[in-house]
Amino acid sequence: MAITSAAAAVPALSSLAHRAPIPSISFLFPGSTRPFSLSRSFRSFSLTPQAKASDIEISFFDDLNPEDEAVAFDPPTPPEGFIPPPAFDDGPEETEDEVAAAYEELYGPAYSGVSVLGNDVYVMDSKVKKTSAFGKVTKEKVRDGFEERVVQVRRVTKVVKGGKQLHFRAIVVVGDKQGQVGVGVGKAKEVIAAVQKSAVNARRNLITIPMTKYLTFPHRSEGDYGAAKVMLRPAAPGTGVIAGGAVRIVLEMAGVENALGKQIGSKNALNNARATVVAVQKMKQFREVAQERGIPMEELWK
């Protein structure tokens, strides 16, 4: 009765079976050499009903014996107008050049030094990491047509609760000497890592400098950044770049060959480099000014 009430009270249990221990008691009666064992056992009980063998229906392959008769494969009939696809080896054989082109498209140029697709075999993937002799992981230098010039590397410290943290700050200018230039800054615990960070930051901040056919500025301009102020002037062919500090590096990396530059105010290298970028961004070509005014270029000098 207790078992029935327990099963009714706990219907959610999936399977719970309990088997009670079987106590055993032995007696030795007089006149007998064998001990008489009296065992009392308790049946195992379960709170969930057990499935019977007759309740399970199996109708798969009940009347079929594979050993008696062979099972024939009867595929469905294809629809009208069905054209079977060609096998993978029925097409024309690929040539060696096609195989090499497919390989190069997936994995890049082969180590043989021959490129079928016309790629540069000397350009390595910048994401591929290499290990140096000291076990440090270094990156291959990116070859994207931009040159790098380090303007300044300074040691900076940060005062924290436990003391001072030493880092290096690098200022790098990148340019292709065809009108594009960028200034970047980066900090790291090592000089090489700081230069790499600043080079990546400079590539993210590229600008285009307007130049004439004489590789100089179209007009004069001034720019300031913080306490630094830079003055830029165009120059005649053969003059060269007459400037100093960070201004000269920015103009040379941009490809300017004839220009005059002057730093007015602060001598901070980073602020002067950024002030040069601000001054260059204010410049416009003559055709852009004529287009904004809606007049031909000949009327600009009237």
Side-chain angles (χ1 to χ4, degrees):
M1 189 69 179
I3 298 175
T4 307
S5 61
V10 195
L13 294 177
S14 60
S15 175
L16 178 62
H18 175 73
R19 183 178 296 275
I22 303 174
S24 177
I25 304 173
S26 301
F27 298 94
L28 187 62
F29 292 94
S32 175
T33 59
R34 293 183 180 179
F36 178 76
S37 176
L38 179 62
S39 299
R40 184 181 59 183
S41 60
F42 299 92
R43 285 188 177 181
S44 61
F45 60 91
S46 175
L47 298 181
T48 57
Q50 300 292 335
K52 299 180 180 180
S54 59
D55 297 339
I56 302 175
E57 296 183 0
I58 301 177
S59 59
F60 186 69
F61 290 140
D62 277 349
D63 303 331
L64 181 61
N65 189 3
E67 297 180 356
D68 296 344
E69 53 181 320
V71 179
F73 176 68
D74 187 13
T77 57
E80 297 182 0
F82 174 74
I83 301 176
F88 69 94
D89 54 349
D90 288 349
E93 296 185 358
E94 297 181 349
T95 62
E96 295 183 1
D97 294 340
E98 294 177 352
V99 174
Y103 179 87
E104 183 176 350
E105 186 176 358
L106 292 175
Y107 306 105
Y111 288 98
S112 60
V114 179
S115 176
V116 182
L117 301 179
N119 298 325
D120 189 1
V121 296
Y122 298 102
V123 176
M124 301 296 294
D125 189 1
S126 61
K127 299 181 181 179
V128 177
K129 296 184 178 180
K130 293 189 176 182
T131 306
S132 62
F134 297 98
K136 297 181 179 180
V137 178
T138 58
K139 287 186 178 181
E140 190 75 17
K141 188 176 180 180
V142 181
R143 298 184 180 180
D144 52 358
F146 289 92
E147 298 183 11
E148 302 176 4
R149 183 84 64 85
V150 179
V151 178
Q152 187 185 66
V153 177
R154 295 185 62 181
R155 186 178 63 181
V156 295
T157 57
K158 180 181 180 182
V159 180
V160 295
K161 182 179 180 181
K164 295 182 179 180
Q165 292 182 353
L166 178 64
H167 290 80
F168 292 94
R169 187 195 70 175
I171 304 172
V172 175
V173 178
V174 300
D176 59 353
K177 295 187 177 182
Q178 295 180 359
Q180 285 190 331
V181 68
V183 179
V185 61
K187 294 180 182 179
K189 294 184 178 180
E190 297 182 1
V191 178
I192 299 178
V195 172
Q196 291 178 350
K197 284 185 178 181
S198 56
V200 172
N201 182 256
R203 284 178 169 83
R204 294 175 181 174
N205 301 312
L206 291 174
I207 63 168
T208 302
I209 295 181
M211 292 188 295
T212 62
K213 63 180 180 180
Y214 301 108
L215 300 179
T216 185
F217 302 126
H219 56 85
R220 61 179 60 187
S221 177
E222 295 180 359
D224 56 349
Y225 190 92
K229 186 177 181 180
V230 173
M231 177 181 61
L232 300 178
R233 299 289 185 269
T239 305
V241 178
I242 302 177
V247 180
R248 182 184 185 92
I249 296 177
V250 173
L251 297 182
E252 287 181 351
M253 298 303 293
V256 179
E257 296 184 0
N258 305 293
L260 303 175
K262 179 65 178 177
Q263 299 178 5
I264 304 174
S266 175
K267 302 299 181 182
N268 185 274
L270 179 59
N271 287 348
N272 278 286
R274 289 178 172 174
T276 306
V277 173
V278 172
V280 166
Q281 287 179 331
K282 294 181 181 179
M283 297 182 182
K284 295 182 180 180
Q285 293 283 9
F286 295 124
R287 60 177 177 271
E288 296 178 0
V289 178
Q291 186 177 4
E292 290 178 359
R293 297 182 183 180
I295 59 176
M297 291 183 57
E298 292 77 8
E299 297 185 7
L300 290 176
W301 290 273
K302 288 183 180 181

